[in-house]
Amino acid sequence: MSSSLNYTKFGDYQLPNLTLSQPKTPLGKYGRMRRNYLKQYRPVLYNSMLLNGTLYPHLMELEQTAESRMQQTMEQLLKQDPAPDKAQNQLMWVQHMNSLKAQAEELVMTELIYS
């Protein structure tokens, strides 16, 4: 049985030099939220995905899905409840858009992040 692992000696023990591959792109907001959720509430799943190397691809896929779902939901909500004229009443427009974004984000959080 040949081993291609390198070992470092610490006291009486030899520990393998294990490294995880570093992601090429950093995680966005939703990927980090999903990672924190898995780490805190689903530690067994988090650790198995981390050790298998499937955690980062899962988080990146979820990030992309969440971003597209946010855009789609915002468009649908704007069709249902159009925003006031931005040039006439900027504060009402900002308030309305923030409200729609909060609604869309709540849907994304319950459907994708916390499931």
Side-chain angles (χ1 to χ4, degrees):
M1 185 174 181
S2 67
S3 176
S4 62
L5 289 176
N6 295 325
Y7 292 88
T8 304
K9 188 169 185 172
F10 287 101
D12 294 337
Y13 302 101
Q14 288 199 4
L15 301 175
N17 298 331
L18 299 176
T19 57
L20 293 174
S21 61
Q22 292 295 322
K24 294 177 178 78
T25 57
L27 289 174
K29 173 183 177 180
Y30 301 109
R32 290 190 313 264
M33 291 174 83
R34 176 68 174 172
R35 182 185 61 201
N36 291 338
Y37 170 77
L38 290 174
K39 193 183 286 189
Q40 187 172 6
Y41 296 104
R42 309 276 309 270
V44 174
L45 178 61
Y46 172 80
N47 287 325
S48 67
M49 290 177 80
L50 182 64
L51 293 174
N52 290 339
T54 58
L55 179 64
Y56 185 73
H58 167 74
L59 296 175
M60 285 304 294
E61 180 183 345
L62 187 123
E63 174 75 29
Q64 293 169 353
T65 305
E67 286 293 336
S68 67
R69 184 77 57 91
M70 276 292 291
Q71 289 176 357
Q72 290 172 355
T73 307
M74 282 294 290
E75 289 172 5
Q76 289 174 353
L77 289 173
L78 273 172
K79 284 180 185 175
Q80 292 174 358
D81 189 13
D85 185 29
K86 186 176 181 180
Q88 298 292 324
N89 198 346
Q90 293 177 355
L91 290 178
M92 288 299 292
W93 182 85
V94 169
Q95 179 184 8
H96 185 75
M97 294 303 285
N98 284 343
S99 173
L100 294 182
K101 184 177 179 185
Q103 291 175 28
E105 199 162 69
E106 185 176 341
L107 288 171
V108 167
M109 300 288 268
T110 55
E111 290 176 1
L112 298 175
I113 306 298
Y114 302 135
S115 61

